[in-house]
Amino acid sequence: MRARLPAAALEGTRGRLQTSGSGLRQCSSCRRSLRVAATLVGPDPTRLAAAATDVLDRSSKCLRGREVEEAAMWRCIELQQAHPQGMQIPMQRWSKDLLEQAYSRCAEVTSEYAKTFYLGTQLMTPQQAKAIWAIYVWCRRTDELVDGPNASRITPKALDRWEERLEALFDGRPYDELDAALTDTISQFPVEIQPFRDMIDGMRMDLVKSRYETYDELYEYCYRVAGTVALMSMPVMGVGPAYKGPLEPVY
């Protein structure tokens, strides 16, 4: 269950957010796509300076502990209210056939590494299942950066490049077929980028820290590396049409 902030603290979090404006077994068929080298491919180099400035300016970097989760949650709610059908993001390179191939690849990876999780997706609509597979695969690839076979060579700069690649796929410029599946997902569901950024920040914490002195520090770490998945998935699972109440209790 998600811990809640006192009302005054929650309003402070919302105010800051509004001011900002917005070992694992590897099968041979999955190994090449899952493994991410220490040198990562990012977006068009001409856009890197602007992307870096955006990262530095994000208000969430100033938040700590439970405030990080609260800020991301409100961004998710605001996006769902503004764009309940997702953001329409054009992808000129990726045809319908290529996207179906990408989703099939995501299904293969999910069924191999998260068997019970994959079983749960069989109870969803095909559109929801494909979206959850795409989200799972992105999370797994991210986790592999610091826990996979190349973990010893992963540097903060490599995570910066991975985040630039995340920004690119949310901008309609996926690098590979697995990224393309996630770009297609966010064009169908109101999936907000902030939980994905927060997970990458959790990987950054793994590089520099292994013990936490306070409960708030530990809470923030647990949210970043695990709780973020709930915020990523909630827009895909959706809310029943009969529900007319606020979205905060649902999230």
Side-chain angles (χ1 to χ4, degrees), residues 41-55:
V41 177
D44 184 343
T46 61
R47 302 178 63 127
L48 297 186
T53 299
D54 179 64
V55 169

Side-chain angles (χ1 to χ4, degrees), residues 120-192:
T121 64
Q122 303 308 291
L123 303 176
M124 303 176 188
T125 67
Q127 184 185 26
Q128 288 174 317
K130 290 192 293 185
I132 294 297
W133 298 336
I135 291 171
Y136 171 81
V137 168
W138 185 88
C139 292
R140 182 171 182 86
R141 296 173 91 187
T142 302
D143 184 67
E144 286 279 281
L145 292 172
V146 296
D147 287 334
N150 294 316
S152 62
R153 299 196 296 275
I154 292 297
T155 65
K157 181 61 177 176
L159 292 177
D160 291 345
R161 296 295 302 277
W162 187 245
E163 185 165 14
E164 290 159 8
R165 184 163 154 175
L166 170 70
E167 301 281 347
L169 74 85
F170 266 81
D171 194 36
R173 297 178 291 113
Y175 174 70
D176 63 13
E177 65 176 4
L178 300 182
D179 285 354
L182 186 54
T183 301
D184 188 60
T185 290
I186 63 180
S187 73
Q188 301 180 57
F189 297 95
V191 178
E192 162 62 40

Side-chain angles (χ1 to χ4, degrees), residues 215-236:
Y215 179 79
D216 271 355
E217 285 186 351
L218 180 61
Y219 187 102
E220 178 180 340
Y221 174 73
C222 291
Y223 157 69
R224 290 188 184 279
V225 300
T228 46
V229 180
L231 295 185
M232 297 173 191
S233 303
M234 176 59 208
V236 176

Side-chain angles (χ1 to χ4, degrees), residues 76-142:
C76 292
I77 289 174
E78 290 170 1
L79 180 64
Q80 183 163 343
Q81 291 172 333
H83 302 281
Q85 304 304 317
M87 302 289 289
Q88 296 304 310
I89 301 175
M91 288 192 301
Q92 297 179 359
R93 282 182 54 200
W94 303 90
S95 67
K96 182 177 179 180
D97 288 344
L98 287 175
L99 286 173
E100 285 302 316
Q101 178 180 319
Y103 280 120
S104 294
R105 184 70 169 155
C106 290
E108 178 185 355
V109 173
T110 306
S111 64
E112 172 66 21
Y113 294 107
K115 289 180 171 57
T116 55
F117 189 78
Y118 178 79
L119 183 62
T121 64
Q122 303 308 291
L123 303 176
M124 303 176 188
T125 67
Q127 184 185 26
Q128 288 174 317
K130 290 192 293 185
I132 294 297
W133 298 336
I135 291 171
Y136 171 81
V137 168
W138 185 88
C139 292
R140 182 171 182 86
R141 296 173 91 187
T142 302

